[in-house]
């Protein structure tokens, strides 16, 4: 079978696509870039916000319209929370909930495959990541979360924590590196909780990966700040750990954090960031902020703006609160009006852009190792590459002398900003 894989939402969903692709190709099936030519289309849905569920539905509808003859398989958080509704949607042939995700390739093959080896099977050891235009691999290290933040529906959809073994993760990383992958991202629902069910920890995992793999670049997906032990940042003395972490703050007011059932105060978060920055040169901290959480007063909002500006972030994901049925926050009093959420979101986006420019300014004239991941043509028809510096600042560079950069790590001089100030520009040395 020719199989097209598509994910919405978190990096964990992307990591699961790679796991499925390896199992499919191991059985002789092929991964294809275009849904129009696929025999089976697999969609890994998201439900973190109401907007995410809308996008999931739209994507399912579009893929069915583009290729109504293919079999449409739907999994992920939206498919788990609304399994019966999804199963009834036009074009959906199979729903696999999160609890059965590890069985998805087998279920698809049992349901739709004639169990014959196709002639167009992928060549051995050819990474489906490259076929899907990816240069960075997301490694699923665990699933589920033991915490119950009052706004979060993902913990309901994903269930209890379950960690992969150290040996299993090491084997996957080594396999991907042999295929040409230069960078991995350790991802999960509760990355910092890795090992809680198997007598291990995130620190243990990092040490094992540094000792038993040669992957050049290691990153982390979102990690809860309270999960990091005091000595965690000493690990970054090894330059294979990229100087960037996404640490979700969610609000700059302790009173709001309490209503969210978050386990970190703003002062503790700030102290953690200062520790990281004092230990690791050019360390980049990115974060999440929820705007308009129930009961958020003008004073609490002002405190959030003040503390966000004081801490400083290289980038922020900003979400207007949307009540999710099944969460405690959906039933809280004093829900914030949509026009107030919109205004506060606008204020925070302006601040976020200012902070991002401040951080970018500090990178100019530095020489850094960029992993070049993709390319496009500019208005003049010249090839423009894009990639990421170690601290996850995005960099663009004009291609020179027809040298192909995609998938390669090259030292690059940071020159300035793009015309729209959204990314850094550089010259490959």
């Amino acid at each position: 079978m020719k199989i097209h894989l598509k994910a919405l939402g978190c990096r964990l969903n992307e990591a699961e696509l790679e796991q499925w692709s390896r199992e499919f190709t191991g059985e002789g099936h092929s991964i294809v870039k275009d849904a129009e030519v696929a025999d089976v289309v697999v969609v890994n849905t998201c439900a973190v916000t109401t907007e995410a569920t809308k996008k999931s539905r739209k994507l399912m509808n579009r893929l069915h319209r583009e290729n109504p003859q293919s079999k449409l398989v739907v999994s992920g958080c939206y498919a788990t929370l609304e399994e019966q509704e999804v199963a009834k949607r036009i074009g959906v042939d199979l729903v696999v909930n999160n609890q059965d995700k590890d069985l998805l390739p087998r279920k698809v093959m049992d349901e739709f495959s004639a169990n014959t080896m196709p002639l167009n099977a992928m060549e051995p050891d050819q990474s489906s990541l490259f076929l899907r235009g990816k240069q960075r691999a997301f490694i699923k290290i665990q699933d589920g979360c033991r915490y119950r933040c009052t706004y979060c529906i993902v913990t309901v959809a994903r269930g209890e924590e379950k960690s992969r073994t150290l040996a299993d993760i090491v084997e996957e990383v080594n396999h991907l590196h042999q295929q040409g992958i230069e960078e991995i991202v350790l991802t999960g629902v509760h990355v910092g909780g890795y090992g809680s069910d198997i007598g291990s920890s995130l620190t243990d995992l990092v040490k094992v990966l540094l000792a038993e793999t040669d992957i050049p670049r290691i990153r982390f997906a979102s990690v809860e700040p309270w999960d990091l032990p005091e000595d965690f940042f000493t690990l970054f003395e090894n330059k294979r750990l990229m100087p960037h972490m996404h640490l979700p703050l969610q609000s700059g007011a302790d009173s709001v954090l309490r209503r969210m059932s978050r386990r970190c105060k703003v002062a503790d978060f700030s102290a953690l960031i200062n520790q990281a920055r004092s230990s690791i040169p050019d360390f980049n901290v990115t974060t999440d902020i929820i705007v308009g959480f129930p009961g958020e007063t003008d004073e609490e909002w002002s405190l959030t703006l003040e503390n966000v500006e004081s801490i400083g972030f290289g980038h922020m994901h900003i979400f207007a609160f949307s009540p999710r049925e099944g969460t405690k926050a959906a039933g809280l009093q004093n829900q914030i009006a949509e026009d107030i959420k919109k205004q506060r979101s606008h204020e925070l986006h302006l601040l976020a852009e200012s902070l991002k420019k401040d951080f970018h300014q500090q990178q100019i004239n530095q020489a850094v190792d960029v992993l070049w991941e993709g390319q496009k043509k500019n208005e003049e028809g010249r090839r423009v590459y894009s990639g990421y510096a170690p601290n996850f600042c995005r960099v663009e560079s004009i291609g020179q002398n027809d040298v192909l950069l995609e998938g390669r790590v090259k030292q690059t001089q940071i020159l300035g900003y793009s015309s729209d100030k959204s990314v850094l520009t550089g010259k490959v040395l």
Side-chain angles (χ1 to χ4, degrees):
M1 295 184 295
K2 291 177 288 187
I3 299 168
H4 178 74
L5 302 170
K6 197 77 172 180
L8 282 171
C10 65
R11 292 169 174 179
L12 179 57
N13 274 2
E14 180 67 33
E16 287 166 342
L17 292 197
E18 180 56 20
Q19 287 184 321
W20 296 340
S21 70
R22 285 197 301 276
E23 192 164 340
F24 280 127
T25 56
E27 294 290 332
H29 305 286
S30 60
I31 306 300
V32 295
K33 283 185 178 181
D34 300 318
E36 292 88 345
V37 300
D39 301 310
V40 177
V41 175
V42 180
V43 181
N44 207 3
T45 61
C46 181
V48 67
T49 63
T50 53
E51 184 62 26
T53 61
K54 291 178 183 177
K55 288 182 179 180
S56 294
R57 289 193 293 268
K58 287 181 180 179
L59 178 60
M60 291 159 54
N61 292 339
R62 177 174 64 80
L63 291 170
H64 175 61
R65 287 196 307 270
E66 291 176 355
N67 187 353
Q69 285 75 39
S70 69
K71 302 296 184 182
L72 181 58
V73 179
V74 185
S75 189
C77 290
Y78 170 53
T80 298
L81 294 169
E82 304 291 345
E83 187 169 354
Q84 292 184 355
E85 174 189 318
V86 171
K88 294 177 182 177
R89 295 189 69 85
I90 295 175
V92 174
D93 296 282
L94 178 65
V95 178
V96 181
N97 63 33
N98 282 341
Q99 286 66 46
D100 290 335
K101 262 188 170 180
D102 290 344
L103 304 175
L104 184 144
R106 178 50 51 196
K107 285 178 175 287
V108 170
M109 288 184 282
D110 288 345
E111 190 81 14
F112 307 124
S113 174
N115 294 318
T116 57
M117 181 68 73
L119 296 175
N120 59 349
M122 221 157 88
E123 292 295 324
D125 291 331
Q126 184 181 4
S127 175
S128 69
L129 281 166
F130 295 143
L131 287 181
R132 294 188 288 115
K134 309 291 184 180
Q135 302 293 334
R136 184 189 307 119
F138 297 102
I139 309 296
K140 179 179 178 177
I141 64 172
Q142 65 85 233
D143 206 339
C145 183
R146 64 180 177 272
Y147 298 127
R148 292 294 181 267
C149 297
T150 58
Y151 55 82
C152 186
I153 194 66
V154 175
T155 55
V156 178
R158 288 279 182 170
E160 297 302 316
E161 292 186 358
K162 183 179 180 181
S163 303
R164 295 174 65 191
T165 65
L166 293 167
D168 191 27
I169 297 170
V170 166
E171 180 181 8
E172 179 180 1
V173 172
N174 281 330
H175 181 68
L176 288 168
H177 189 210
Q178 290 168 4
Q179 294 178 322
I181 294 296
E182 295 289 302
E183 181 174 300
I184 60 167
V185 182
L186 305 180
T187 187
V189 176
H190 180 203
V191 171
Y194 172 80
S196 63
D197 55 326
I198 59 172
S200 188
S201 69
L202 183 60
T203 298
D204 291 341
L205 173 59
V206 172
K207 289 179 178 178
V208 168
L209 289 174
L210 291 173
E212 299 184 19
T213 79
D214 294 318
I215 194 79
R217 294 159 69 109
I218 301 173
R219 296 190 186 276
F220 304 92
S222 181
V223 180
E224 298 297 355
W226 60 78
D227 283 322
L228 300 179
E230 289 186 6
D231 61 346
F232 184 80
F233 292 112
T234 61
L235 294 170
F236 287 80
E237 294 172 3
N238 190 309
K239 300 304 181 184
R240 291 164 61 195
L241 290 186
M242 298 293 98
H244 161 252
M245 288 195 76
H246 188 82
L247 302 171
L249 176 60
Q250 305 299 8
S251 173
D254 286 343
S255 51
V256 175
L257 293 175
R258 284 194 297 271
R259 295 200 296 277
M260 292 178 170
S261 292
R262 302 286 290 167
R263 290 160 176 76
C264 187
K265 294 183 177 180
V266 176
D268 297 331
F269 185 96
S270 181
L272 181 72
I273 303 309
N274 289 335
Q275 179 189 358
R277 287 172 174 160
S278 64
S279 304
I280 308 158
D282 294 313
F283 191 76
N284 183 15
V285 180
T286 55
T287 198
D288 297 334
I289 299 289
I290 296 175
V291 172
F293 191 78
E296 184 180 67
T297 64
D298 290 341
E299 291 76 17
E300 289 171 331
W301 176 243
S302 295
L303 197 57
T304 289
L305 291 175
E306 177 184 332
N307 284 324
V308 163
E309 184 172 16
S310 174
I311 295 169
F313 296 100
H315 183 73
M316 285 191 281
H317 294 153
I318 300 168
F319 303 91
F321 173 78
S322 59
R324 308 295 286 120
E325 185 179 351
T327 65
K328 184 177 179 180
L332 292 178
Q333 300 296 312
N334 300 317
Q335 298 284 329
I336 305 301
E338 292 302 317
D339 59 335
I340 296 177
K341 290 182 192 177
K342 186 175 181 180
Q343 175 59 34
R344 290 176 179 177
S345 179
H346 178 68
E347 291 176 21
L348 191 56
H349 274 96
L350 291 177
L351 177 57
E353 285 303 310
S354 175
L355 295 174
K356 184 176 182 178
K357 289 178 182 177
D358 289 345
F359 187 73
H360 274 177
Q361 187 68 40
Q362 299 169 31
Q363 314 306 308
I364 295 176
N365 296 324
Q366 293 195 43
V368 297
D369 290 331
V370 175
L371 171 58
W372 296 103
E373 299 188 357
Q375 59 173 290
K376 61 183 179 181
K377 292 290 183 68
N378 64 12
E379 294 178 354
E380 300 170 354
R382 300 182 67 184
R383 184 185 294 119
V384 179
Y385 284 97
S386 67
Y388 287 89
N391 60 14
F392 210 60
C393 285
R394 186 162 166 250
V395 184
E396 289 187 347
S397 180
I398 301 293
Q400 301 173 12
N401 302 323
D402 292 327
V403 175
L404 296 177
L405 296 177
E406 205 163 340
R408 302 175 67 185
V409 177
K410 301 290 288 184
Q411 190 175 54
T412 303
Q413 183 78 26
I414 303 301
L415 302 177
Y417 298 113
S418 61
S419 58
D420 62 359
K421 305 293 185 182
S422 63
V423 299
L424 294 169
T425 60
K427 179 180 180 181
V428 176
L429 300 176

